[in-house]
Amino acid sequence: QEQLVESGGGSVPPGGSLRLSCAGSGFTFRYYNMGWFRQAPGKQRELVAIITHDDREDYADSVKGRFTISRDNAKNTAYLQMNNLYPKDTAVYYCNAGGSSGYWGQGTQVTVSS
């Protein structure tokens, strides 16, 4: 059974850093584009970053220069390094494999607050 499990969320002050991890299982991880999405209270889910199966990266304008997406196919894991966090980055962060019709994780809460 296909599964994505996120970890690494938490609460940090503004300017802090977090690293999210997403472990995939039950599918051929290296063939899939991997993405991180987030959803803040009362808002729609939005794409944060994506890394393709051949390691091309793309980011939402709001996180460019602060967030870095990466993947380790040997570990079936994708990562999101988040630096210089702002309060507006507060959201539930979701991992995705294969786009909207693909697989989703359960989400991990990121809270940025002083």
Side-chain angles (χ1 to χ4, degrees), residues 5-6 8 11-12 19-24 32 40 42 75 83-84 90 95 97 103 109:
V5 179
E6 300 104 333
S11 182
V12 296
R19 188 194 196 203
L20 305 183
S21 299
C22 170
Y32 281 74
K75 296 182 178 180
N83 298 327
N84 192 20
T90 295
C95 179
Y103 313 127
Q109 177 70 47

Side-chain angles (χ1 to χ4, degrees), residues 8 12 16 29 48 70 101:
V12 296
F29 183 89
V48 175
S70 61
S101 60

Side-chain angles (χ1 to χ4, degrees), residues 18-20 36 48-51 57-59 63-71 78-83:
L18 285 172
R19 188 194 196 203
L20 305 183
W36 286 97
V48 175
I50 187 169
I51 184 165
E57 302 169 25
D58 198 12
Y59 298 90
V63 307
K64 282 181 180 176
R66 300 188 298 122
F67 291 12
T68 303
I69 191 170
S70 61
R71 65 191 298 159
Y79 304 96
L80 185 68
Q81 177 67 44
M82 305 185 294
N83 298 327

Side-chain angles (χ1 to χ4, degrees), residues 9-93:
S11 182
V12 296
S17 297
L18 285 172
R19 188 194 196 203
L20 305 183
S21 299
C22 170
S25 60
F27 62 98
T28 309
F29 183 89
R30 66 183 182 275
Y31 292 159
Y32 281 74
N33 297 339
M34 298 298 298
W36 286 97
F37 290 72
R38 67 186 180 188
Q39 188 166 19
K43 295 189 176 181
Q44 289 189 329
R45 190 173 297 189
E46 63 175 357
L47 176 65
V48 175
I50 187 169
I51 184 165
T52 65
H53 63 91
D54 54 352
D55 289 335
R56 287 177 288 120
E57 302 169 25
D58 198 12
Y59 298 90
D61 287 343
S62 59
V63 307
K64 282 181 180 176
R66 300 188 298 122
F67 291 12
T68 303
I69 191 170
S70 61
R71 65 191 298 159
D72 184 339
N73 291 335
K75 296 182 178 180
N76 289 347
T77 301
Y79 304 96
L80 185 68
Q81 177 67 44
M82 305 185 294
N83 298 327
N84 192 20
L85 283 158
Y86 304 151
K88 65 181 180 180
D89 296 316
T90 295
V92 178
Y93 283 70

